[in-house]
Amino acid sequence: MGRKRIWLRRALISLCLLLAGCVVLFFALPKLLIAPANVAKSDVILHSSISTQSTADEYVVDLYRQGVARKIVCVSSQISWELYPGDYAREHLISLGVPAEDVLSLRLPVAPCDAVNLPTVAEFVKAHGWRSALLITHPEDSRYAARVARRFFEREGVSTAVSYAPEDREELTRNWWRTHWKTQRMVAEAMSITLDLFYAECR
Amino acid sequence: MVRDGAEERENRKMWERKIGITPGMSSFIFLSHIFLFAVWQLSLMNGAIQVLSRFLRSKRARVLLMVSACLLTGYFLTPVLLNEVGEGLIREDKLVKADVIVALGGDHRCNREKRAAELYHQGWANNVVVSGLQYAWGFHTGEAARAYVMNLGVPEEKISIIRETLNTRAEAKILEQLMRERGWRSAIIVTSAFHSRRATYTVEKAARDRTFHSSPVPAGSPEWAPDRWWSRRGDVYLTVRELVSWANTLVNGWQ
């Protein structure tokens, strides 16, 4: 009886520790996922921070005006019937004053993970003769994007840096655990990173 | 051959004479060696059996056996259970005529809208509802979905749009309002297979006085499929996300 109680106590303590670990991990997600923004002078800006909650367009235009890069490529996959948000982001950037010839839209197929489409993007960059690229991503994707992009782009001889709009970061991390879309994005990113470790096509 | 046998016998006799034993003795020595070897082996085996039976009577052995049995059972049962988890996410009801077909939003490939148009043409309902989100650049995914459904032959006046639907529960609330406004009593819910059970549960909870039937997009590549879902990266993501969403829905968590 005494031994059973000891085992029960051990099991309960393990469960509590596991739960505490999960809680700590959950609240540490912003620290784990968001890397410091790294703006480096590049040949092209790859703008993929295109979503309903993002305000990265203005940030991208600022970078363009500061001369960080001379070309911008809006990268997106289909989100509805023949609807690529990158096309609209391009129009928006033009309306904000970027010359039309300096903004392109790159359409990608719907893919289960970033690693599937990144070789296409890297080839696109290389084909245009660009040797360096600045990736503008969603803040929660920054650390992982930096790692994955470096692997695919360096293979093509293209150096990369990753950044995001400071306003996006501020908005995302403000009370994020109390808002559905913010929590959803954080957890989805954590899930994606974990899953990518187990599947060859995404590693 | 006969000559070979005689030669062999002659050689053996010569060898017996050489080492000084009576002819035929070598066979006896050989047989006795075999006998002794057999006795030695049997005693070893007996000892091993005794050690094993003593070990099997110990508590440690029972625990080891039980753990091995559990691991073996787990190895063979896990795929079956995981398949069951996948199947459990799907709800497919018998089709009956309804007032409206609702294609829920969130499908980048527009398979839900395609399925809704098919059901419309088969005459299961006279109205179609599509759903979507407003993006900052002035486009609405619901408008694109409507254009697609129109392209598939559904008249414009028969299509309605649910706007600002960030998640299934928000979508269900707006759908309930729309059905109340239009006087629709029943709906066929069209969504992806993995989402069908939760989606139907959510809309049923939001509009208890109305009837809903689930008719999901058929499961299969490149869409999610329940069979061996854990072997495909995209399907694992969708399944795990769906399970997390189920937990969130059941505890009435984030909205």
Side-chain angles (χ1 to χ4, degrees):
Chain A
M1 197 65 188
R3 191 172 271 191
K4 264 186 188 169
R5 204 174 288 168
I6 287 169
W7 276 105
L8 194 72
R9 210 169 63 186
R10 278 182 190 167
L12 272 175
I13 290 169
S14 308
L15 207 69
C16 287
L17 283 174
L18 190 74
L19 203 70
C22 288
V23 171
V24 170
L25 189 70
F26 178 75
F27 285 103
L29 280 177
K31 285 244 178 288
L32 295 171
L33 300 175
I34 305 173
N38 175 21
V39 179
K41 204 168 171 10
S42 308
D43 294 333
V44 62
I45 292 173
L46 298 173
H47 174 24
S48 66
S49 178
I50 303 168
S51 70
T52 45
Q53 291 94 6
S54 179
T55 54
D57 284 2
E58 286 75 11
Y59 177 64
V60 169
V61 172
D62 278 350
L63 293 176
Y64 176 82
R65 286 193 185 131
Q66 287 165 25
V68 170
R70 297 180 68 181
K71 295 280 178 186
I72 302 168
V73 179
C74 301
V75 186
S76 64
S77 297
Q78 180 178 301
I79 55 162
S80 190
W81 186 56
E82 289 183 0
L83 186 62
Y84 290 82
D87 297 351
Y88 290 86
R90 178 180 180 269
E91 294 300 320
H92 188 221
L93 293 180
I94 293 167
S95 74
L96 290 173
V98 181
E101 63 273 16
D102 285 349
V103 200
L104 304 169
S105 175
L106 174 62
R107 293 175 167 199
L108 296 172
V110 177
C113 56
D114 292 347
V116 174
N117 279 334
L118 273 175
T120 315
V121 182
E123 275 168 27
F124 179 84
V125 169
K126 196 186 171 188
H128 281 79
W130 297 319
R131 311 293 300 165
S132 55
L134 173 63
L135 268 74
I136 306 298
T137 67
H138 291 112
E140 77 278 11
D141 191 30
S142 53
R143 197 178 296 276
Y144 187 58
R147 190 148 53 89
V148 181
R150 201 176 302 131
R151 205 171 62 236
F152 287 98
F153 281 78
E154 275 176 6
R155 207 181 287 166
E156 301 289 343
V158 179
S159 64
T160 54
V162 173
S163 187
Y164 45 79
E167 296 81 14
D168 282 3
R169 183 200 166 117
E170 207 174 295
E171 178 58 34
L172 182 70
T173 50
R174 191 186 310 126
N175 290 335
W176 68 272
W177 64 91
R178 291 163 69 178
T179 316
H180 183 270
W181 70 264
K182 294 178 186 179
T183 313
Q184 197 175 38
R185 271 172 53 173
M186 291 279 192
V187 174
E189 183 65 22
M191 260 172 59
S192 285
I193 294 170
T194 314
L195 286 179
D196 285 357
L197 298 173
F198 297 100
Y199 293 86
E201 72 268 29
C202 295
R203 272 205 293 269
Chain B
M1 281 299 281
V2 175
R3 200 187 302 152
D4 283 354
E7 204 173 305
E8 197 182 313
R9 272 198 300 277
E10 199 56 44
N11 281 341
R12 202 171 61 201
K13 274 178 195 168
M14 268 175 65
W15 179 74
E16 281 171 344
R17 255 181 256 121
K18 205 174 177 181
I19 62 167
I21 55 170
T22 23
M25 194 66 178
S26 62
S27 304
F28 172 73
I29 292 170
F30 177 68
L31 284 172
S32 62
H33 270 86
I34 285 183
F35 176 73
L36 284 173
F37 182 74
V39 169
W40 179 59
Q41 284 294 308
L42 278 172
S43 64
L44 267 184
M45 213 184 287
N46 187 35
I49 288 169
Q50 273 183 8
V51 170
L52 192 69
S53 64
R54 214 175 300 141
F55 175 69
L56 286 176
R57 278 198 295 271
S58 73
K59 198 179 172 186
R60 189 174 289 178
R62 280 205 299 272
V63 171
L64 196 73
L65 272 177
M66 205 178 283
V67 169
S68 309
C70 285
L71 285 174
L72 208 67
T73 315
Y75 178 77
F76 288 108
L77 271 187
T78 305
V80 180
L81 290 175
L82 289 176
N83 274 343
E84 282 302 312
V85 168
E87 292 285 352
L89 297 177
I90 306 171
R91 174 172 159 183
E92 184 154 19
D93 300 327
K94 192 171 173 280
L95 274 174
V96 290
K97 275 205 166 225
D99 295 327
V100 61
I101 300 162
V102 184
L104 295 178
D107 181 5
H108 295 184
R109 294 186 176 96
C110 288
N111 287 323
R112 298 175 185 178
E113 287 78 9
K114 191 178 169 193
R115 170 87 179 145
E118 277 169 17
L119 292 174
Y120 174 85
H121 290 305
Q122 288 165 12
W124 293 107
N126 277 325
N127 300 286
V128 174
V129 171
V130 291
S131 170
L133 269 176
Q134 179 71 49
Y135 274 65
W137 305 278
F139 68 84
H140 196 285
T141 53
E143 297 286 356
R146 176 161 71 177
Y148 181 54
V149 175
M150 278 167 61
N151 192 51
L152 293 172
V154 180
E156 190 178 358
E157 66 274 14
K158 298 284 183 188
I159 308 168
S160 311
I161 304 180
I162 301 178
R163 293 170 190 276
E164 297 313 304
T165 53
L166 267 171
N167 55 60
T168 310
R169 271 182 289 170
E171 219 166 1
K173 269 184 198 163
I174 300 173
L175 176 65
E176 192 268 337
Q177 284 168 12
L178 184 75
M179 288 181 76
R180 199 174 294 281
E181 280 168 24
R182 304 278 169 92
W184 293 329
R185 306 290 312 163
S186 59
I188 297 172
I189 303 297
V190 179
T191 184
S192 304
F194 68 87
H195 184 228
S196 56
R197 187 171 294 279
R198 185 168 62 92
T200 317
Y201 169 84
T202 309
V203 291
E204 277 176 342
K205 209 172 151 195
R208 290 185 191 278
D209 53 344
R210 280 158 173 77
T211 318
F212 297 96
H213 309 279
S214 174
S215 182
V217 174
S221 185
E223 274 263 329
W224 175 90
D227 183 45
R228 295 183 58 80
W229 56 267
W230 62 91
S231 61
R232 296 172 296 273
R233 158 58 171 89
D235 286 5
V236 178
Y237 176 79
L238 290 173
T239 309
V240 176
R241 200 187 68 176
E242 189 59 21
L243 293 172
V244 173
S245 300
W246 254 116
N248 187 41
T249 304
L250 292 175
V251 299
N252 215 9
W254 288 281
Q255 297 214 31

